Amino acid sequence: MVRTTRRNALKLLGVGVAAGALGMPWVRNAQASGPYKIGFLGSLSGPAESLGAPMLEGVKIAVEDINAAGGTNGRQLELVVRDDKAKPDVGTAAARELVGEGCSMLLGVVSSAVALAVSAVLQQEDAVLITCAAHSMRLTKEDFNRNYFRITDNPFMRQRAQAHVMAERFGEVTTWGGLIPDHEYGRSTWECFDNGLKTYYPELAKAEPTISKPVMTTYGGSDYRNFVASAMRDPAVGFFVSAYGGDAITMYQQALPYGFFKKKHPIVDAANEFIVARAMKENFPEMWIGSHWYSGAFTGNPMNDELARKMTERTGIKFLDGFIGEGYSAVRAYAEALKTADSGKTADVIKALEGLTFDSPTGKRTIRAEDHQTIKPVVLYRVRGASNADGIEVVEHRVIDGATVIDPATPGVKLTF
Amino acid sequence: MVGDFLLVGLNGMTWAMAVFLVAAGLTLIFGILHILNFSHGGFVMIGAYLTYTLINQTSGPTGIFVFLAVAVLCAAVVGVLGYVIDRTVFERLKAVDDSYSLIATYAMLILCEGGVKLVWGPDFIALPPPAGLDGALLLGDLFIPSYSLFVILSGIVVFLVLDFWIHRTRSGKVMQSVALDPWMANVLGININAMFTTAVVAGFALAGLAGGLLAPNQSLSPGLGGTYIIQAFGVIIVGGIGNVRGAFIAALVLGMIDAFGTVYVPEYPGIFFYIAVAGILMYRPQGLLSGIR
Amino acid sequence: MSRGQNTSSTTSAANAAILAAALVFATLPLWADKGLVFLAGIVMVQIVFAVSFNLMFGLTGLVSFGQAAFFAAGAYTAAWLGRAVPELPFLIFCLAGGLVGALLALLIGVVALRRASGIYFAILTLALGQLVYTLIGKSDALGREDGLVGIKRPVIDLFVGTLDLSIGDRYYYFLLVACGILLGLLWWVWHGQLGRLLAALRQDAERIRFFGVNVRRYREIAFIISGGVTALAGALVAPWSQIITPAIAHWSYSALPILFCLLGGASRFWGPAVGAIVFAGLEYATRTMVGVSELIVGGALLVVVLAMPGGIVGTLSLLARKLTKNGKERLNEQSA
């Protein structure tokens, strides 16, 4: 018995060695001719897998579309995929490995910590990175470097656009509170939302908002009842929540019996896309959710419609997450930049990306040359649970012009309010 | 103010009983086999996912009794899994150093995670509380979620049943003697291997039951296995090795400290649990109670 | 127990294996891609991390489940000093990191070793380690949850001139030399008077106590050395990964050296090193197997631990001894 197990162990190790060989770590190739190699780096296991996997799907569809149409400059795009497990050290190793395999054009990345880590080694590795979700303001502010680009919006744009819509729609709700996870992203979303309230309420609602100190919460926990109780005691009527993924589900589920969503209204959710709504279905309380991309908001845009159709065909999911659109857009940006930077050399690609205007599922986007932040529409939808086959419905959506809410480009300088 | 105090106390109780439900099976296995089962959380997770699947098979709103029946069924299924693991893994761990059980059960936790991902996928899932437990009771101006009361009650019932078994029944007393001195128990003609297996199956069944009862408590994802495990470790160690009464008391004490700490010192959420564990262990290095009781 | 009893053939086989491994690490940048070189650097640091942890675990049997706190203490001290006083030499940052780790070990050791033993010691150190983790995550000076980003690779001042370690693979070779020195130091402790005394203590603490030896004091010394060298490893990793986050103080990071020791074999000096390399290899081989990597890593670990209860090195040397058919050796092993 012991002997067979030992043999199995050796067999397994053999499999491991063979697989390692297949990865061929010793091959270094240059990118002179043949296909343009693009490296996808994203969370394909661990807690952020359900964000990274759809992003990869969007990337794949874009690569297929471009190749089917004859490629870029007559050269095909080749995709190499690596998992960053949402860990900075794993991400850095994977990025270096991708570069070693000839992919100096990187894209993807869900986690801000991974984005910051990889961004810091780009110059030394002579590579470019376009991130599709990481929302840390530091990437385009104090930790900016020229090899890094963000294809999507940032908390300054997103949360201020949300405040803008609230001031417009709920001028009578002047007291606001927050349930904020105590990490940099959480605090940064709150600062931006707070700034948005102070900017747009006097302007649009002709009223001064009263803003409570937000309730700071843990993250990755199983019990949010005490934080919900603190929020219930708060006199604020409108609430901003930036808990994410599973934490948000746990928090909302535990907040329901307290009548939280009856007492507090409107609720603004920073960035959960449809992840939480799809999980909670008919029990999902009504709220305004920020999104990277919502296909329903851009109907009529052929790129948008085609992407949504293909994605729903592949997954059977009707309410698609914005990560798909951002993965897709990042590939489009590279393809567009390669038209002028046909060598594929890092310095040329960076130059071509700076100031680039390109077509995306959300319409035309422009990458700001100064800080590499993309100017794109900010998307917001009102979702609630429903007794239909999907369990949820989008009641309405709003698209805010990104140029009206964007931060001034100040690369290298910390964002202050 | 009194209402606030009650509310925080109640939330602390809910946390305490949720963690106790997870810790009960852990402390049982630890007390008898001296295996600190890292994968326990993984099997709690499997119990929760199974409950989710079974409840979605029933049509219409789920009542409390259907929910309880499903949870018990999941306990039985995970108990059977426990039997298989006892035969294939734990059986081989008896001969080696205690620490090696750590790596074997850690590997099993990773396997649980991979297995759940393979069967249910990586996406987040939510299971609402059954009909009748989805609302709240109003006590004066105090909201008490009925599901919180259900969790508290479940914890107390599981504790009482376990306590009765260990102290008032013959098999429970035999179990105590095996834990205390397996060699002597063997000499006295007790089939200690059967007792080991019973403890493992009971421990795993408790994990499945905890998963079922707590499935509506939080979101389900393949990472759920690690969510409760450190709290449960803290509770069983502060309670005293293998001591169910100790674990119950420790859960309550740690739950209260964490709840009041979180509310009154909001700048450092989540830190009070660790301060309390370290503080209590420094004061009482062998835990609050000792021996299997 | 089995140390020093190796037959000459197994010893020379082991030496050859160590030499081969060192050679692979030394030549890696010449033939492997950058990703693998980066991982190899991390593995070298993890080997020092695990071997220094094993000073406590292998020699005293005490499991410190908060070892990551020392690693993080070293990494954060060095990185923070690099920012606060960049004009000081890099080696000072490293030494300061090691010192802070040793001090923290002294603090935790005094509390934990005096009060608890066995599993209680493990959980007490776990709780204290988690405290350190939470405090780092709440500290503005240490970058809170996002950690310290963009840590520079240093220029070190040799007496004949300066050496810029940020160029090419230079920091990798620096890491190789530094880790080699630290392993040499640990080898000396493990095989020296302290190591022998602790090994004897593990076998028969009563008898040693009878000779008037202050058991606790020696354990404390071992714990401080273990914490200090772990912190040095942490200090070295900061400029290599160029980012440090509180994750390196988390309990799951403390679980790594335990895993490496048990996988490789805790009773041998090189056991944890083998464990670290095998585990990294497993993770590297499964990195592209999206969806099933957990099943393969978990399954392989389980199979290895069930098939090799003495760890890889322990089982291999047992096997080698059986092959030599030396009956006397086998008898020794059984009595041990």
Side-chain angles (χ1 to χ4, degrees), chain A residues 25 96-97 125 182 219, chain C residues 33-34 38 138 145 287:
Chain A
R96 289 187 157 120
E97 194 188 350
E125 300 298 331
D182 192 14
Y219 44 93
Chain C
D33 75 43
K34 288 170 170 178
F38 180 73
K138 302 282 173 204
E145 295 78 13
R287 75 200 184 289

Side-chain angles (χ1 to χ4, degrees), chain A residues 76-220:
Chain A
Q76 297 273 297
L77 300 184
E78 186 189 325
L79 185 66
V80 185
V81 178
R82 285 286 179 272
D83 184 6
D84 66 22
K85 301 186 180 178
K87 290 179 185 162
D89 53 341
V90 180
T92 317
R96 289 187 157 120
E97 194 188 350
L98 283 168
V99 174
E101 287 182 25
C103 305
S104 54
M105 287 180 279
L106 308 174
L107 55 84
V109 183
V110 174
S111 136
S112 284
V114 174
L116 285 162
V118 174
S119 163
V121 303
L122 286 172
Q123 284 184 329
Q124 169 185 326
E125 300 298 331
D126 193 32
V128 195
L129 170 69
I130 301 183
T131 64
C132 306
H135 249 187
S136 172
M137 288 303 289
R138 288 164 67 169
L139 289 161
T140 51
K141 297 291 178 194
E142 65 261 46
D143 292 317
F144 170 77
N145 77 68
R146 278 198 64 222
N147 298 43
Y148 167 81
F149 293 83
R150 172 158 39 213
I151 207 69
T152 187
D153 56 2
N154 63 36
F156 193 89
M157 300 163 71
R158 168 85 60 90
Q159 268 66 56
R160 278 164 39 92
Q162 289 179 320
H164 185 284
V165 172
M166 290 305 114
E168 213 174 71
R169 290 287 300 271
F170 302 96
E172 73 286 359
V173 179
T174 54
T175 52
W176 282 88
L179 273 161
I180 309 298
D182 192 14
H183 48 51
E184 211 229 26
Y185 167 70
R187 287 188 300 275
S188 151
T189 56
W190 172 254
E191 280 173 1
C192 296
F193 187 74
D194 176 90
N195 176 274
L197 292 175
K198 285 173 185 155
T199 311
Y200 296 118
Y201 262 84
E203 188 186 315
L204 301 170
K206 310 280 175 248
E208 275 304 324
T210 311
I211 302 168
S212 308
K213 205 173 150 212
V215 178
M216 303 308 282
T217 76
T218 47
Y219 44 93

Side-chain angles (χ1 to χ4, degrees), chain B residues 96 117 241 274 282-283 285, chain C residues 111 115 120 123 130 294 305 309:
Chain B
V96 299
K117 239 171 71 175
I241 284 184
Y274 297 110
M282 275 181 229
Y283 180 63
Chain C
V111 171
R115 299 298 301 171
Y120 296 99
I123 299 295
Q130 283 296 96
E294 287 96 343
V305 75

